[in-house]
Amino acid sequence: ATALFGRDPRVHCHVAELDAGHGAQVVGMALGFVTYSTWRGRHGIWLEDLFVQPEHRRLGLGRALLAALAGICAERGYPRLEWTVLDWNEPARDFYRSIGAAPLGEWTTWRLPETAIEEVSQMSP
C-alpha cells in the first residue's frame, strides 16, 4: 500500500475493470515504475507486471493497459517502455510481437539475490 499510495509513490498501477452486473470488478492490471537511461539521457517506464485474468483475455484489456503506459511515455517524452518476458511464455511473446515490441537479444537480465545483498553491501573497494 505504501509503494502505491504513500506520500511519495515509486510504483504506479493501472487497472482494467469490467462491469460484472453488480459493479465494476478489477480483472487486469499493469504495474510499473519510472526508469532512467544513461544511454538516452531520459526517463522511461519499466513494466514490472501485466496481468489479465485468463477468462477475460482476448478482450483487448492487455492492449489497453499497454496503450495507457505508452500514452504516458508519449506525453512525457519518454523514449522507452520496457519489460521482461519469460522465455517459455510463447503466448505473451506472440502478443507483444503483435503490438510491435521486440526482444533485446544483446541484453541479459542479471540479479543480485536478497541473500547476497548484505554481503555485497559490506565489500570494500
Side-chain angles (χ1 to χ4, degrees), residues 11 30-33 45-50 69 82-84 111:
V11 178
L31 185 89
F33 52 88
I45 292 179
W46 181 266
L47 173 63
E48 182 65 24
D49 284 307
L50 175 65
L69 293 177
E82 300 175 297
W83 61 91
T84 57
R111 176 180 295 147

Side-chain angles (χ1 to χ4, degrees), residues 103-123:
L104 299 175
E106 69 274 12
W107 291 89
T108 302
T109 302
W110 288 63
R111 176 180 295 147
L112 186 62
E114 185 176 358
T115 55
I117 288 175
E118 181 65 30
E119 182 180 332
V120 171
S121 75
Q122 300 303 315
M123 289 180 169

Side-chain angles (χ1 to χ4, degrees), residues 54-69:
E55 62 272 21
H56 300 293
R57 292 180 183 163
R58 301 205 179 277
L59 298 175
L61 300 173
R63 191 175 297 263
L65 289 165
L66 283 172
L69 293 177

Side-chain angles (χ1 to χ4, degrees), residues 2-125:
T2 301
L4 286 168
F5 305 111
R7 195 178 61 113
D8 186 22
R10 303 297 172 120
V11 178
H12 306 283
C13 188
H14 293 261
V15 297
E17 297 178 320
L18 289 179
D19 189 344
H22 44 21
Q25 174 187 2
V26 174
V27 297
M29 63 93 182
L31 185 89
F33 52 88
V34 175
T35 61
Y36 184 79
S37 167
T38 55
W39 293 94
R40 300 296 304 267
R42 298 182 24 218
H43 288 89
I45 292 179
W46 181 266
L47 173 63
E48 182 65 24
D49 284 307
L50 175 65
F51 179 77
V52 175
Q53 292 176 347
E55 62 272 21
H56 300 293
R57 292 180 183 163
R58 301 205 179 277
L59 298 175
L61 300 173
R63 191 175 297 263
L65 289 165
L66 283 172
L69 293 177
I72 292 169
C73 289
E75 175 185 305
R76 296 181 183 175
Y78 294 171
R80 291 182 175 176
L81 174 56
E82 300 175 297
W83 61 91
T84 57
V85 182
L86 292 166
D87 290 340
W88 55 261
N89 194 341
E90 203 57 43
R93 294 165 63 95
D94 290 344
F95 167 67
Y96 294 133
R97 280 187 190 99
S98 79
I99 63 166
L104 299 175
E106 69 274 12
W107 291 89
T108 302
T109 302
W110 288 63
R111 176 180 295 147
L112 186 62
E114 185 176 358
T115 55
I117 288 175
E118 181 65 30
E119 182 180 332
V120 171
S121 75
Q122 300 303 315
M123 289 180 169
S124 24

